[in-house]
Amino acid sequence: MATIKDVAALAGISYTTVSHVLNKTRPVSEHVRLKVEAAIAELDYVPSAVARSLKARSTATIGLLVPNSVNPYFAELARGIEDACERNGYCVILCNSDDDPQKQRSYLRVLLEKRIDGLVVASVGEDRDLLDSLRCVRTPMVIVDRALEGVEADLVRIDHEQGAYLATRHLLELGHRDIATIAGPQDTGVSQLRLAGFRRAMAEAGVSIAADGVLHSDFTSLGGHAAAARLLDGQRPTAIFAGNDMIGFGVLRAAAERNIDVPGELSVIGFDDIELSRYVYPALTTVGQSIRELGESAAALLLSRITAPRRGETEQRIVAPRLVLRESTGPRPDLFNDYR
């Protein structure tokens, strides 16, 4: 592999001058610049990013730590972050922890060792060791999806509680009273906020929640399918609020396996508005906001923190959710014929 000294020898100039051409640290004549560029092309020389970063004290690299890259939510979020960073001359290193606390801590250490310029952390679990590590991070950092206790960093997230409230209000306004929810993991802040929004809407409407009306699962279709099977094989509700769209897909599958018509016999609403929710059958009614825009907003906040470091208060951007009406919700079954 060619080195900067090889380029200098072929061009017939000092390697210091080659460095000035590469890093634009000092003006050189057009004649010299063209000789350097010709030598670089002939040798297929690739400058050392490590050496350049040491000199510039910047790697132009952002670290992104996500818990599950298979989940379309995090895939869309990563795309938004990557798009915004690429437009601004930064590349993104994606680390997927598979919801494994040990992997999360290991990847965080690797990212910091690589001298990244900034870090985006998306929805880590309740791992105390990781939280302790994040509290010690001095690299500019943005948290996406939910606040982390004791971690001083900028935050970008959707209003989880209000989104769940809107979803539940939609079902109530369709006449449903026997409404169940399949929330996410019981010990995560996102699940707790969404469950709080569900409970608030039900309480405001004066509707009681059945003893088996609140179930928990992980944020996957598999988890949603298993939880929905328990609901649908018992005292079946007329509507289910799924803690995210992936859970909602599992509910739709469980209903189809039992020949339960959606939305004629059962209404289903999700949360997040991932792109796939438009293409399942029936298309999933949901609440959310553009996930890519959420990612772009997180990246923009991080890049502004990198280019103009600020002391003092961290910034929070709470995005308002919206109701996205599709095909999976309808009036309560005994009212359905009146609407047809």
Side-chain angles (χ1 to χ4, degrees):
M1 182 178 292
T3 68
I4 190 172
K5 291 185 178 181
D6 296 326
V7 173
L10 183 59
I13 57 178
S14 71
Y15 73 86
T16 303
T17 302
V18 175
S19 176
H20 290 318
V21 173
L22 291 172
N23 298 303
K24 298 180 174 60
T25 50
R26 184 177 298 173
V28 298
S29 69
E30 182 71 4
H31 174 68
V32 169
R33 185 182 63 81
L34 291 174
K35 286 176 66 176
V36 171
E37 290 177 353
I40 287 172
E42 183 174 336
L43 294 171
D44 197 22
Y45 169 69
V46 179
S48 168
V50 174
R52 295 177 71 178
S53 66
L54 288 173
K55 184 168 290 189
R57 296 187 179 179
S58 171
T59 60
T61 303
I62 301 299
L64 172 57
L65 187 61
V66 300
N68 186 355
S69 61
V70 175
N71 186 327
Y73 174 88
F74 293 110
E76 292 179 35
L77 181 73
R79 181 59 185 270
I81 293 169
E82 185 178 22
D83 286 349
C85 288
E86 191 274 335
R87 288 195 303 268
N88 288 277
Y90 285 80
C91 66
V92 176
I93 300 176
L94 172 63
C95 292
N96 168 46
S97 68
D98 290 321
D99 294 304
D100 182 334
Q102 186 172 344
K103 269 190 177 181
Q104 287 178 332
R105 294 192 297 272
S106 175
Y107 278 137
L108 177 62
R109 184 173 61 254
V110 168
L111 289 172
L112 295 176
E113 286 173 354
K114 290 187 177 297
R115 304 291 182 182
I116 54 174
D117 291 341
L119 176 66
V120 181
V121 180
S123 194
V124 296
E126 300 296 328
D127 176 37
R128 305 311 305 179
D129 289 339
L130 179 64
L131 291 178
D132 288 342
S133 297
L134 289 172
R135 292 186 189 106
C136 298
V137 170
R138 295 296 174 260
T139 301
M141 178 168 53
V142 171
I143 307 297
V144 183
D145 207 31
R146 69 184 183 90
L148 300 178
E149 181 184 351
V151 178
E152 293 293 325
D154 295 324
L155 171 68
V156 177
R157 71 168 176 86
I158 197 166
D159 190 334
H160 299 290
E161 199 269 352
Q162 180 64 14
Y165 175 84
L166 291 176
T168 310
R169 283 296 309 171
H170 171 63
L171 297 174
L172 290 164
E173 288 166 0
L174 289 170
H176 295 280
R177 292 298 178 266
D178 189 359
I179 305 172
T181 183
I182 303 174
Q186 197 163 1
D187 60 349
T188 67
V190 169
S191 299
Q192 292 165 8
L193 287 170
R194 293 180 184 182
L195 182 56
F198 169 77
R199 292 188 185 279
R200 176 162 69 94
M202 295 288 277
E204 282 188 7
V207 178
S208 60
I209 301 170
D212 59 351
V214 176
L215 278 71
H216 290 274
S217 77
D218 53 18
F219 282 125
T220 65
S221 297
L222 181 64
H225 180 270
R230 300 208 304 274
L231 282 173
L232 300 180
D233 289 339
Q235 188 65 35
R236 192 169 81 202
T238 66
I240 295 175
F241 164 49
N244 74 347
D245 290 344
M246 297 297 289
I247 293 174
F249 299 160
V251 176
L252 292 178
R253 174 70 184 184
E257 290 170 347
R258 291 159 176 77
N259 295 314
I260 298 171
D261 179 63
V262 176
E265 298 174 89
L266 175 72
S267 285
V268 182
I269 188 168
F271 197 119
D272 283 335
D273 191 24
I274 63 175
E275 188 172 357
L276 191 59
S277 62
R278 301 166 176 81
Y279 301 107
V280 295
Y281 184 81
L284 186 67
T285 296
T286 185
V287 292
Q289 188 55 266
S290 169
I291 301 169
R292 283 197 187 185
E293 289 181 14
L294 198 68
E296 293 208 8
S297 179
L301 186 55
L302 180 62
L303 294 176
S304 70
R305 181 72 74 172
I306 291 170
T307 55
R310 314 184 294 280
R311 297 186 181 276
E313 293 295 321
T314 56
E315 184 174 343
Q316 292 196 17
R317 295 182 184 177
I318 311 299
V319 180
R322 66 178 187 276
L323 180 65
V324 183
L325 295 176
R326 295 198 180 101
E327 301 166 355
S328 66
T329 53
R332 195 177 74 216
D334 57 323
L335 301 176
F336 189 72
N337 288 332
D338 295 338
Y339 283 80
R340 295 175 69 176

